[in-house]
Amino acid sequence: SRPLGRSEPSQVKEEQEEAFNRHYGGTLSDNQSATSSFLAAQGSLLKFPCLICGKRFSFHSTLLRHIRIHTGENPYSCDTRSNDLVCHMRTHTGEKPFSCRTCGKRFTRSSDLLYHTRTHTGEKPHFCNICGKCFSLSNSLLRHTRIHTGDNPYSCETCGKSFNQRGSLIIHRRTHTGEKPHACQTCGKGFSRSNDLACHMTTHTREKRDIMCHMTLLK
């Protein structure tokens, strides 16, 4: 694999073209028009875009690490050092060195703490250049952009239906498998979506309220 520190523009282009071709089964030039339109709609002050998913970065080196998500390259083993590996090892040790000054919640990554802090400050630095909606996370902006572009990259292997979010595909798959991982602790009824369980729980709340009202009338 190529060394992480090397980040010349020519290498970035080479890495992106290789990942793009592997992911889409075509050449970068074949998809240049659609890619350019997507990046124009995305819009950002971040200078280095991934031509596969549209995510943008401030540094060449960060983009190169991101591209490995698409290529599957894993140059670091469990006995070598990298920032990602150090963070990964914390999943084994349970170490969470970054704490929120507002609520005390702890995190394994400084970036996770940064994202969490925005829940307190209300900061939303990522905005959609099409409709102006703002987001606290760049990934949230990327998912939102698919509403405008019509991109649905997640497809069901059973029926072919496609979705713009991975979570939506996971929920959809349960219509085929019958899986209902969300169970009511009161009556045991199962649901495929957490929202359906939340709605169901209100029926028990009403039942409890009706019983209490009835007991009050009997006094």
Side-chain angles (χ1 to χ4, degrees):
S1 60
R2 299 178 179 87
L4 183 61
R6 183 186 169 206
S7 58
E8 295 86 347
S10 60
Q11 185 200 358
V12 174
K13 185 174 186 297
E14 178 185 344
E15 290 273 1
Q16 291 198 45
E17 288 186 356
E18 178 183 346
F20 196 99
N21 296 345
R22 185 181 306 181
H23 189 77
Y24 288 107
T27 64
L28 182 61
S29 59
D30 291 339
N31 298 276
Q32 191 67 55
S33 177
T35 303
S36 298
S37 298
F38 175 80
L39 293 178
Q42 176 83 356
S44 175
L45 295 177
L46 303 178
K47 295 184 294 185
F48 304 104
C50 172
L51 296 186
I52 296 175
C53 67
K55 191 172 183 179
R56 305 175 74 93
F57 303 90
S58 301
F59 304 101
H60 282 122
S61 58
T62 308
L63 172 60
L64 292 178
R65 287 196 298 269
H66 166 79
I67 288 174
R68 291 180 180 140
I69 297 174
H70 301 298
T71 64
E73 181 186 7
N74 292 305
Y76 300 103
S77 61
C78 223
D79 57 352
T80 60
R81 303 284 292 180
S82 77
N83 288 336
D84 289 339
L85 181 59
V86 170
C87 292
H88 164 74
M89 291 303 295
R90 290 173 183 152
T91 64
H92 300 300
T93 65
E95 181 188 8
K96 294 183 177 181
F98 306 101
S99 62
C100 175
R101 294 182 179 180
T102 303
C103 67
K105 189 173 183 179
R106 305 187 69 87
F107 302 87
T108 57
R109 297 173 180 263
S110 59
S111 58
D112 292 338
L113 172 59
L114 174 62
Y115 300 148
H116 166 78
T117 302
R118 290 171 182 164
T119 64
H120 298 299
T121 64
E123 181 188 8
K124 295 182 178 181
H126 307 282
F127 67 94
C128 175
N129 275 4
I130 298 176
C131 68
K133 190 172 183 178
C134 297
F135 302 87
S136 59
L137 303 178
S138 59
N139 285 345
S140 299
L141 172 60
L142 177 60
R143 289 193 296 269
H144 166 80
T145 302
R146 292 174 183 150
I147 297 175
H148 300 299
T149 63
D151 183 27
N152 293 312
Y154 304 102
S155 299
C156 175
E157 303 87 347
T158 303
C159 68
K161 189 174 182 179
S162 59
F163 303 86
N164 61 11
Q165 296 187 31
R166 182 173 178 271
S168 299
L169 173 59
I170 292 174
I171 293 174
H172 166 77
R173 283 173 177 159
R174 292 170 184 158
T175 63
H176 301 298
T177 64
E179 180 188 8
K180 296 181 178 181
H182 305 285
C184 175
Q185 295 183 352
T186 302
C187 67
K189 188 174 182 179
F191 300 87
S192 61
R193 302 190 306 172
S194 58
N195 287 346
D196 293 338
L197 172 59
C199 291
H200 165 79
M201 291 301 296
T202 62
T203 63
H204 295 301
T205 303
R206 287 198 301 270
E207 289 173 358
K208 184 177 180 179
R209 184 175 63 247
D210 292 343
I211 291 174
M212 293 181 65
C213 291
H214 181 66
M215 293 178 65
T216 301
L217 293 173
L218 293 177
K219 290 182 180 180

